[in-house]
Amino acid sequence: MAINNMRVQFALASALGLTAFVGLPASAQTTGTTIAANAAVTESCVVTSTALQFGGADVTDGAAHAGTGGLDVMCTSGTAWTATADVGTGANATMALRGMTSTAGGGLPLNYVLYNDNTATSPWGDGTGGTSPITGTGTGVVVPIVLAGSIPLGQTGIPAGTYADLVQVTVNY
């Protein structure tokens, strides 16, 4: 019976022109596609700061007192940025001469100058009042900027105490 069955399959395959493939499994077929990957890298910046520290300042010694602080800016590679600083919260502050206020309240401000580099040559601000902003171009890594400050001499009438100011930093990109 198996031989008759084979003869029928052979006869049918011969009639269809498939004699070479009788009894063999069908060959596998493949198909494919692609997947597109897309992204839009946006310009962005992150800025952090380290407080400008003057430490103990004896205003009666007849000398200016230096302080240092810092700014860390990280922007997307190739992104141009500008960092500006406002006048701060001190009474009668200007861009060129800011003022720290006594944390005990009242009294005269302790004046200081905030510089946009560690050479203490260019007051930092928004470009007005003799100040300059800090500019750069992002590299994708943190760029540390050393800031300098100076408490000018001649402030002998300032009472002992703790003084503070808060300067708003803005990075435009």
Side-chain angles (χ1 to χ4, degrees):
M1 180 77 114
I3 294 177
N4 282 339
N5 214 1
M6 283 282 281
R7 284 185 189 159
V8 170
Q9 286 179 355
F10 183 74
L12 183 59
S14 285
L16 295 175
L18 302 173
T19 50
F21 300 108
V22 172
L24 297 177
S27 65
Q29 300 293 317
T30 60
T31 188
T33 189
T34 59
I35 297 175
N38 297 297
V41 176
T42 59
E43 290 184 328
S44 65
C45 291
V46 176
V47 62
T48 58
S49 63
T50 304
L52 182 62
Q53 297 289 331
F54 290 101
D58 180 0
V59 295
T60 64
D61 67 4
H65 296 272
T68 58
L71 195 65
D72 288 335
V73 179
M74 183 176 71
C75 293
T76 309
S77 184
T79 300
W81 57 268
T82 301
T84 59
D86 74 359
V87 297
T89 58
N92 302 317
T94 66
M95 283 297 202
L97 191 62
R98 292 172 169 88
M100 291 182 272
T101 305
S102 170
T103 57
L108 298 171
L110 178 60
N111 294 320
Y112 71 102
V113 180
L114 178 59
Y115 296 99
N116 65 6
D117 59 16
N118 63 355
T119 63
T121 57
S122 182
W124 183 31
D126 63 1
T128 63
T131 64
S132 300
I134 300 170
T135 61
T137 300
T139 60
V141 297
V142 172
V143 175
I145 300 163
V146 177
L147 302 174
S150 177
I151 297 173
L153 57 90
Q155 299 186 70
T156 58
I158 302 295
T162 302
Y163 290 77
D165 187 22
L166 193 59
V167 175
Q168 179 67 49
V169 175
T170 303
V171 174
N172 292 304
Y173 57 93

